[in-house]
Amino acid sequence: MIIGFWIAVTGLALVLFLAVHLGGVLLALVDPPSFESYAASLHQQGWLPWLELALLAAALGHPLLSLHRAHVNRQARGPASGPLGSRRTGAWEPLAALAGRAIPWSGSLLLLFLCLHLAQLRWHRPAAGAELAAVLEVLATPWCLALYGAAGVAAGLHLIHGTESAVRRLGLLEPANAAALRLGGRGLALLLGAGFTLVPIALVLRPAGPLLAGG
């Protein structure tokens, strides 16, 4: 179905962005001067506004298409149908089942976080060389730090379910490669989720002197 295809494509595009974005954010932790140079160079690129528009379209289109697909599926199953379950067994499956049930909540939290994150650090973009200071100022507010950590957990849960769903909708999930694709997708989900959860905390806890001096 064409809707499922675009849900998968927009979702995987956002996963790719998250992986690249986490790499950039990690620079703030391990090499602040390189992070500032990277941010300043990125913001000078002429193609950046077009990329941001494409990412915004994916970020809005993905949940809207998913809601439409869920509505269509609910109508097809009828009101008497219960929630779908999995017959697979294994150490991962309870977490995968939880991630599947939490999709509406994790997605909603991520959308809320995205709006706040853009308002804090994109729509009022810091001056060149002041990017890290702006990030630390945001994270110094306890409720913001808590929201950033919760968004990291939500991203991990969302991707545990979403990566497998995406490859299935693209017709790539087959018996011969299912185990490898599931393991790879779940590993990526945990890596991104842990990264976006722990890096903000690490930035706040790292001593100010070494951080500003580049380590």
Side-chain angles (χ1 to χ4, degrees):
M1 188 176 181
I2 191 66
I3 294 177
F5 171 81
W6 284 111
I7 291 173
V9 169
T10 53
L12 291 175
L14 293 172
V15 171
L16 177 60
F17 165 74
L18 287 176
V20 174
H21 188 52
L22 180 59
V25 172
L26 281 171
L27 278 177
L29 184 62
V30 301
D31 191 352
S34 294
F35 170 75
E36 295 290 1
S37 298
Y38 162 77
S41 175
L42 181 63
H43 295 162
Q44 293 171 0
Q45 302 304 313
W47 46 260
L48 182 60
W50 298 105
L51 176 61
E52 289 177 326
L53 283 175
L55 289 170
L56 181 60
L60 294 177
H62 185 74
L64 290 175
L65 290 169
S66 298
L67 286 172
H68 177 67
R69 178 67 177 265
H71 175 69
V72 170
N73 289 345
R74 190 175 298 112
Q75 286 187 322
R77 290 198 301 267
S81 299
L84 297 178
S86 173
R87 297 187 179 90
R88 295 197 305 266
T89 59
W92 279 94
E93 298 315 315
L95 182 59
L98 172 64
R101 291 193 298 269
I103 278 288
W105 306 105
S106 60
S108 298
L109 178 58
L110 289 171
L111 195 57
L112 172 65
F113 168 77
L114 176 63
C115 294
L116 178 67
H117 185 58
L118 290 174
Q120 291 173 330
L121 296 171
R122 171 57 183 91
W123 292 329
H124 299 285
R125 176 165 284 165
E131 191 89 22
L132 182 53
V135 171
L136 293 175
E137 183 179 359
V138 167
L139 296 178
T141 305
W143 71 264
C144 282
L145 179 60
L147 180 59
Y148 273 61
V153 173
L157 282 175
H158 203 79
L159 293 178
I160 286 175
H161 176 83
T163 50
E164 180 178 342
S165 178
V167 294
R168 180 184 292 112
R169 283 170 172 159
L170 292 175
L172 302 177
L173 194 67
E174 299 177 354
N177 62 19
L181 286 178
R182 287 192 184 105
L183 183 61
R186 292 168 180 179
L188 177 62
L190 290 183
L191 179 64
L192 293 177
F196 281 112
T197 300
L198 298 177
V199 168
I201 298 172
L203 283 172
V204 170
L205 295 180
R206 182 168 177 172
L211 178 64
L212 296 178

